[in-house]
Amino acid sequence: MPLPKALAGRLALPVVGAPMFIVSSPALVIAQCRSGILGCFPSLNARPEEALARWIAEIRAALAGDPKAAPFGVNLIVNKANRRLIRDTEICIRAEVPLVITSLQAPGEIVAAVHGYGGLVFHDVTTLRHAEKAAEHGVDGLILVCAGAGGHAGTLSPFALMAEVRRFFPGTILLAGAIADGRAVLAAQAMGADLAYIGTRFIATAEANASGAYKQMLVDCAARHVVYTPHFTGVSGNYLGPSIEGAGIELSALAAAAPGGSYRSSADKPAAWRDIWSAGQGVGSIDDVPSVAELVARLTKEYRAAARELTQAMRRFPSPAAGHAPLPPQGGEDG
């Protein structure tokens, strides 16, 4: 599907940097946008509350005058427990944030408010029902958080959820779940997504607001180290097993504990995100901690190489529509 006018021609690579709790800061977002991908951060990362307006202004000032910079976005948690929701929403609307990403409950009146100044609203979902509800509210895009994604991930295969959502939703679709290199970005598009949604890979970058130990653990771990459990927030999510053990919790104990009961955040207990680190199943593709610019350049090179390889592979098969004639040759290095 064509991208919304606000994004058409604004991205050097079909990638959105996912907003990550604690990790996503103005430095990371600015680096992502300057590299040609859309960077985002959760509004709750800006603390105290008054800092949100300053963060938005800082990002906007850093990107001003750069014709190659991509737009940025802010993630709002739509939930009654989020006491900042009304004020954060008002700040985003007043600042005319280009993209608002909503999570958890359907975005409701936020959509009309953002559309009022020409902004976009994308909503992340893990199930078909959630996607249907968000679509009813008129969102511009749906972020399909599939099996293998970092943090609060769903359990559905991207093949299943993508096919079902595309049947009824004509807007922009973003795909999330173990996307960590350029080949995976192309694969997301081949499945029908318009954009890839990448989180974990950007934690292991110089600009990410994560500790050196967290970044090194991402380099050292593989998919087998990722544990999917609801025991830290009450909602199932993917976390690094070594960080769980490092917090003094035996992995075998999780099976016997009540979800969320023993490990919720407190002054003297380990907490998700702060002590117990999230990661998606694509962590096995992480071998270093480059700058964002270096990583995006690498993703772009991998993406283009995969596109050429895919074109060559398709030529090995006849085209029924052309009377079993081979696919025509493609011109150019990136063709």
Side-chain angles (χ1 to χ4, degrees), residues 102-298:
T102 52
S103 302
L104 295 185
Q105 296 176 358
E109 298 178 355
I110 294 176
V111 177
V114 174
H115 284 174
Y117 62 80
L120 300 173
V121 178
F122 291 171
H123 187 75
D124 64 32
V125 301
T126 58
T127 68
L128 181 64
R129 182 58 188 144
H130 291 157
E132 291 171 338
K133 287 183 177 180
E136 291 171 359
H137 284 255
V139 299
D140 303 283
L142 292 173
I143 303 165
L144 311 188
V145 186
C146 299
H152 292 148
T155 58
L156 290 176
S157 161
F159 289 96
L161 191 55
M162 172 64 67
E164 294 189 8
V165 171
R166 190 52 94 185
R167 284 185 175 184
F168 70 88
F169 186 69
T172 303
I173 291 183
L174 297 82
L175 187 63
I179 300 176
D181 57 30
R183 184 179 295 275
V185 173
L186 182 66
Q189 287 187 302
M191 291 173 60
D194 301 289
L195 299 167
Y197 200 65
I198 303 179
T200 301
R201 186 60 189 90
F202 283 104
I203 302 174
T205 58
E207 294 87 348
N209 184 36
S211 69
Y214 188 177
K215 296 177 184 182
Q216 186 59 49
M217 189 174 290
L218 291 171
V219 172
D220 295 339
C221 285
R224 60 189 169 85
H225 296 107
V226 176
V227 178
Y228 187 69
T229 176
H231 292 292
F232 302 113
T233 66
V235 179
S236 294
N238 281 314
Y239 304 91
L240 290 170
S243 74
I244 297 174
E245 295 174 320
I249 301 170
E250 293 185 8
L251 296 181
S252 59
L254 294 182
S262 302
Y263 309 121
R264 287 187 182 276
S265 176
S266 68
D268 58 351
K269 295 179 181 178
W273 324 120
R274 184 194 68 198
D275 308 299
I276 299 165
W277 299 326
S278 168
Q281 292 176 0
V283 67
S285 297
I286 300 176
D287 298 316
D288 60 358
V289 185
S291 68
V292 168
E294 291 170 332
L295 176 57
V296 174
R298 183 189 306 168

